[in-house]
Amino acid sequence: MKTKQLNKPELLAPAGDLARAKTAIRYGADAVYIGGRSFSLRSRASNFTYDDIREICAFAREYGAHVHVTVNIIPHDEDLDGLAEYLRFLQECGVHAVICASPYIMNCAKKYAPHLEVHCSTQLSVTNSSAVRFLKRHLDIDRVVLARECTMEDVRRITAEGGVPSEAFIHGGMCVNYSGRCTLSNRMTLRDANRGGCAQSCRWQYHLYQGKTELTKQDDLFTMGSRDLMCLDHLYDLMEAGVASFKIEGRMKTEFYIASVVSVYRRCIDEILLKGGPLDADRMRMYREEMRKSENRDIWTGFYDNPDAQDSIIYHPNTNVDVNHDFLGTVLSYDKTAETAVIQTRNPFAKGERAEILSPSGTYEPFVFEWMKNDKGEYMEISRHPMAEVTIPVPSAVKAGDMIRRSR
Ligand code: SF4
């Protein structure tokens, strides 16, 4: 068995709003990346206000975590007003890094907010070490976010020879085109993918014709979205390669997804570090099963060991086949004497059903809803409404922010 002193990589999680950012940090992320309301892709990801950015920076400091802010549009001249002020504001808040795709924005960050690290976005599609050295020499970047299209050999070489720390994607959505270098959305919806408006047109369902002959059937239409990345089985290789940061994609994803995914990677990374080598088949099977409890689409391991990207595209409607757990609610408070918790509900559940607690400590404790009460203290047989406050008995101490989920 291989054992080796491994450096601890940063686990970097996405967050579309304050609640999701706090959840990611509570569940073990070393850093979160967020978008402000300006200069950021993912304009639909309920981006952070100035006050939110101040608040998440203060929250992250309490946990020793970092905040990275995407300033990653491909800007046209009219998009650049206020850039210097915005960068100075991020620096004053204590943001650790900005993630940029435009060389001009990288240059401005160095000039107007020199305490911010500048991370070169995956939008630049960096796939070789010469490009990294060029970016270091001319733009003084502090980190490169590698293109998702890199193979494991590319990752090793760029990390060893690029001269700046590297960041690699380990989980989440992939583009069927070259990491966002795509104008499908622009053409079909007038929403510019490179200004944050991607309508995910590749995932729509299409009737396919050859001439006047339709090749598709009504219940088997054509799509061309990519499978999602899932890299549990490559964590050790990426750590051994010396990758500085492991990035989870998905600023549009839910709080439950973020908690579930971050929690699994946190535990798996920590266990590999403790062991100093790859985990055995049983442990990896356990982590893969845990990962399937979140809202994954169909998955693959990306270009790391599939340079030809065979089997990467979903040609038929995506049915979220791997989702096997429902998010039932978040714990608001715990009564130690009564051994009960008040939860804010999300999906319906009934007395007698089995559920489990998902907590930042990584324990997944099963239990049965022996009874439940509404906010008037009345016993209920079923909880039907989202965002209601319901009291349930729990088998062990829980904390605000723990989540309750149910196996399908
Ligand atoms: S339409 Fe699909 S391939 Fe194009 S940018 Fe959006 S997600 Fe990527």
Side-chain angles (χ1 to χ4, degrees), residues 329-341:
T330 305
V331 172
L332 297 176
S333 62
Y334 172 63
D335 183 330
K336 190 177 171 187
T337 310
E339 297 182 338
T340 59

Side-chain angles (χ1 to χ4, degrees), residues 174-177 180 182 184-185 193 198-203:
M174 303 278 280
C175 250
V176 73
N177 280 304
C182 163
L184 261 184
S185 172
C198 174
Q200 305 238 325
S201 309
C202 59
R203 298 191 191 279

Side-chain angles (χ1 to χ4, degrees), residues 321-333:
V321 288
D322 283 335
V323 180
N324 59 20
H325 276 60
D326 293 317
F327 176 33
L328 301 185
T330 305
V331 172
L332 297 176
S333 62

Side-chain angles (χ1 to χ4, degrees), residues 333-342 370-371 373 379 391-398:
S333 62
Y334 172 63
D335 183 330
K336 190 177 171 187
T337 310
E339 297 182 338
T340 59
V342 178
E370 286 167 4
W371 53 263
K373 286 182 184 175
Y379 285 101
T391 302
I392 56 168
V394 284
S396 59
V398 290

Side-chain angles (χ1 to χ4, degrees), residues 27 327 329-332 343 357-361 397-404:
Y27 276 80
F327 176 33
T330 305
V331 172
L332 297 176
I343 66 171
I357 299 161
L358 170 64
S359 77
S361 65
V398 290
K399 289 186 179 153
D402 289 359
M403 296 184 182
I404 310 293

